[in-house]
Amino acid sequence: MKINIQSIPGCRINEYMLVLNPHEELRNKIAKVRNEFSETYKNSAALIGKPHLALVRFTQLEMMEERIVNRLKVIGMGFQPFKVSLKDYGSFPSHTIFINVTTKIPVQNLVREIKEAQRLMKLDNEHKPHFIDEPFIAIGRRLVPWQYEKGWLEFSHRQFTGSFIADNMLFLKRRLGDRSWQIAQRFEFMNLPVTTKQGELFV
């Protein structure tokens, strides 16, 4: 018999996401493009939540949250703020259209650091953390063929430029099945000489 883990007291399960958050002006600029895409191509999947650059998504027991937060805080403290540059559009055929991130290396380096904590993020073999190794900011998601084909025909010729300084990462969470995300923590990038290996034996 399969036990419903959510029915066990204290075993609440949440979805979590770690993101880089553009400044408000750039967020509004991206949101405007998203809304336009949504209205033109009848796709609202990317409208859930504010524009962001996702680093990892995972599902985990709420009781693990404190240990994960402590680990991510250390990673943030040791990381250096960096510039994120956005230019034009790209796509994942045949389901997603996004804004290109041209400064991939520092984002990928950050994701690599976060992967050091992946054991804490794994609920079970069916729920492993999903790390975003190719950074992007979605404009249209979960597209059906006609939405993708018509949308990409237009957006492959359109231009977009923007940049922001990533000096922190936001830790978002929501109850399993909820739509809206809440900010659980903000981890500042302090470029301090901390060792992320510290405490490795205790996690």
Side-chain angles (χ1 to χ4, degrees), residues 81-168:
F82 59 92
K83 185 178 181 181
V84 178
S85 296
L86 310 174
K87 185 167 171 58
D88 300 340
Y89 298 91
S91 74
F92 297 131
S94 54
H95 53 78
T96 305
I97 293 173
F98 54 82
I99 296 172
N100 285 317
V101 176
T102 56
T103 48
K104 294 183 192 296
I105 302 297
V107 183
Q108 289 168 334
N109 288 343
L110 178 57
V111 171
R112 199 172 299 124
E113 293 267 340
I114 297 164
K115 278 184 181 175
E116 302 268 317
Q118 63 182 309
R119 280 181 303 148
L120 293 174
M121 300 173 181
K122 180 183 170 185
L123 177 61
D124 54 34
N125 285 334
E126 289 176 22
H127 299 90
K128 295 177 183 176
H130 174 59
F131 294 94
I132 292 87
D133 294 310
E134 281 296 317
F136 66 95
I137 296 180
I139 294 301
R141 293 191 307 128
R142 299 186 198 135
L143 304 175
V144 297
W146 78 264
Q147 290 170 324
Y148 174 80
E149 285 160 20
K150 289 193 170 183
W152 184 232
L153 195 65
E154 179 191 348
F155 276 78
S156 59
H157 300 294
R158 282 179 59 161
Q159 293 181 321
F160 186 97
T161 55
S163 65
F164 66 97
I165 299 298
D167 56 8
N168 69 79

Side-chain angles (χ1 to χ4, degrees), residues 10-83:
C11 285
R12 194 155 97 177
I13 296 177
N14 292 327
E15 290 180 87
Y16 294 95
M17 182 161 52
L18 201 57
V19 306
L20 299 178
N21 197 32
H23 56 76
E24 189 176 9
E25 188 185 341
L26 182 55
R27 275 205 316 271
N28 291 340
K29 186 178 176 182
I30 297 166
K32 195 174 170 187
V33 177
R34 273 186 176 181
N35 289 331
E36 187 190 331
F37 186 93
S38 172
E39 285 173 20
T40 305
Y41 300 106
K42 312 291 180 259
N43 171 258
S44 60
L47 296 182
I48 300 168
K50 293 176 180 175
H52 60 255
L53 201 164
L55 303 168
V56 60
R57 291 183 72 146
F58 62 96
T59 304
Q60 185 52 285
L61 294 167
E62 193 167 78
M63 65 173 72
M64 290 292 290
E65 191 175 305
E66 189 179 345
R67 290 171 70 187
I68 294 166
V69 163
N70 290 339
R71 191 63 185 279
L72 293 174
K73 188 176 180 181
V74 173
I75 291 170
M77 285 167 66
F79 215 79
Q80 185 174 353
F82 59 92
K83 185 178 181 181

